[in-house]
Amino acid sequence: MTDEDQKRRYIRQRNAGALPWELEDASQRTREEHPVFKQQVPAADKLDGSRVQSLPEDFQPDPVYVEFLEAHHGIPTEFTLQQLVEFKLYWRETGEARKAWQNKFKNHVIYQWKRSQSEAGQRSNRSTAEKLTDTSWADDDVQVNFDQPDDEPF
């Protein structure tokens, strides 16, 4: 195996989630002892999301995250769960691997919530003229008539 092949193999293993201290020096082992495709991978329950992996088919948000979103960001549970289908469709299609899918989902929900709130504010039923002539913020004793021309300057 050439140096270039060893580098490629190392990079391939690192991209698969292997940590540097888990990799053996390629020059110290023979092909029969540890072939790349026959290395044993620890059970998924032991990994607990610590390795890079694509989004699992059965991904569901952890209830702790759903409660966190409601408690700290005021995002209703219904809204959070509505985001799941779009999230899964996107990340399953890209096939990208991540370490923290729960956190990625949490950030996606926060982004979509802020976006929906911003869009809701922009879709107000009031006209531009009503918004510009709104005096509800002023004291009650201030009366402004926008229909009369200003005869006297301030």
Side-chain angles (χ1 to χ4, degrees):
M1 188 180 286
T2 67
D3 285 341
E4 191 64 32
D5 290 338
Q6 288 178 352
K7 288 179 186 176
R8 284 189 189 125
R9 180 180 178 151
Y10 178 80
I11 291 170
R12 207 175 316 117
Q13 288 175 328
R14 288 288 288 131
N15 287 342
L19 299 171
W21 55 85
E22 294 175 336
L23 301 176
E24 296 179 24
D25 184 13
S27 62
Q28 294 180 355
R29 60 182 148 87
T30 63
R31 285 185 152 209
E32 293 78 23
E33 291 177 7
H34 299 286
V36 172
F37 298 108
K38 291 187 179 181
Q39 286 184 354
Q40 289 193 357
V41 178
D45 58 340
K46 291 181 183 177
L47 293 176
D48 194 33
S50 64
R51 293 209 181 204
V52 175
Q53 60 182 344
S54 59
L55 182 68
E57 291 280 342
D58 60 346
F59 175 81
Q60 290 294 319
D62 190 323
V64 172
Y65 282 84
V66 176
E67 291 171 12
F68 172 84
L69 289 168
E70 189 162 17
H72 295 280
H73 294 277
I75 303 174
T77 302
E78 298 79 28
F79 182 87
T80 300
L81 298 177
Q82 287 172 353
Q83 303 308 307
L84 184 59
V85 173
E86 180 184 339
F87 179 80
K88 287 173 79 171
L89 283 173
Y90 177 81
W91 288 107
R92 294 295 302 159
E93 184 176 336
T94 64
E96 246 182 83
R98 302 266 179 186
K99 284 187 178 182
W101 285 111
Q102 295 292 338
N103 194 48
K104 188 73 177 166
F105 179 71
K106 174 189 68 94
N107 291 338
H108 171 77
V109 171
I110 293 169
Y111 173 79
Q112 293 297 338
W113 177 253
K114 288 180 179 179
R115 185 174 163 205
S116 72
Q117 296 302 302
S118 173
E119 289 173 0
Q122 292 174 358
R123 284 186 258 127
S124 176
N125 293 332
R126 298 187 324 163
S127 70
T128 303
E130 289 174 325
K131 290 177 186 176
L132 291 173
T133 58
D134 178 26
T135 58
S136 63
W137 52 270
D139 293 331
D140 290 337
D141 57 337
V142 175
Q143 296 294 325
V144 180
N145 187 350
F146 290 102
D147 295 329
Q148 277 188 311
D150 287 337
D151 292 335
E152 296 178 24
F154 288 98

